[in-house]
Amino acid sequence: MTDILERLDDAIPASQDTRDTFLAELLLDAIREIERLRAPSGNEWQPIASAPRDGTRILVAIPGGKMTVARWDSLGGVEGWFSYLVRDLGRGIVLTGETSPTNWRHLPLPPLEEANPPANRLA
């Protein structure tokens, strides 16, 4: 079975007729949109070997179906993936052995803060 992109590309008319030109532009737009949707968004799980090692906090998967926020760091002569609490207190737990990360993905953006948050009804 041929890929939809190939089928769309084959359907692009070669003539210069106005209707054919409009159809060609529409098909090219569809091809570009499908390519954009197929492109990795940076939010998929990736092998840990491709993770940034510049101190960027990322979400890592560790064996056992668990996840944690971590970053590549060097503390006390130990270099590796360190898991940190949300508030960085300067100390972390190094992930090694059975807790070595296998995959990673970027952290999601935090929710936007409301300009005027609703009053707490319980107060």
Side-chain angles (χ1 to χ4, degrees):
M1 182 173 170
T2 359
D3 185 71
I4 186 68
L5 292 178
E6 292 174 26
R7 291 173 49 211
L8 288 171
D9 191 46
D10 290 343
I12 295 174
S15 76
Q16 298 300 318
D17 182 281
T18 306
R19 285 177 291 175
D20 286 347
T21 301
F22 174 76
L23 179 59
E25 289 173 4
L26 183 64
L27 289 170
L28 286 171
D29 286 345
I31 289 170
R32 283 188 214 103
E33 182 67 11
I34 291 169
E35 288 173 338
R36 185 189 67 77
L37 291 170
R38 286 183 175 180
S41 66
N43 291 327
E44 291 92 22
W45 287 104
Q46 300 174 52
I48 197 65
S50 67
R53 294 187 177 211
D54 60 2
T56 302
R57 290 174 193 270
I58 56 174
L59 184 62
V60 297
I62 55 178
K66 298 179 182 176
M67 297 177 286
T68 186
V69 174
R71 72 177 182 203
W72 185 264
D73 209 340
S74 178
L75 295 174
V78 176
E79 186 175 61
W81 293 106
F82 284 80
S83 178
Y84 290 86
L85 299 172
V86 174
R87 284 183 41 212
D88 187 352
L89 302 176
R91 291 173 274 151
I93 301 167
V94 67
L95 301 173
T96 60
E98 293 179 2
T99 60
S100 291
T102 57
N103 297 80
W104 75 281
R105 67 188 299 170
H106 291 285
L107 290 172
L109 294 174
L112 296 174
E113 293 184 22
E114 296 180 36
N116 297 312
N120 187 345
R121 294 182 185 188
L122 300 177

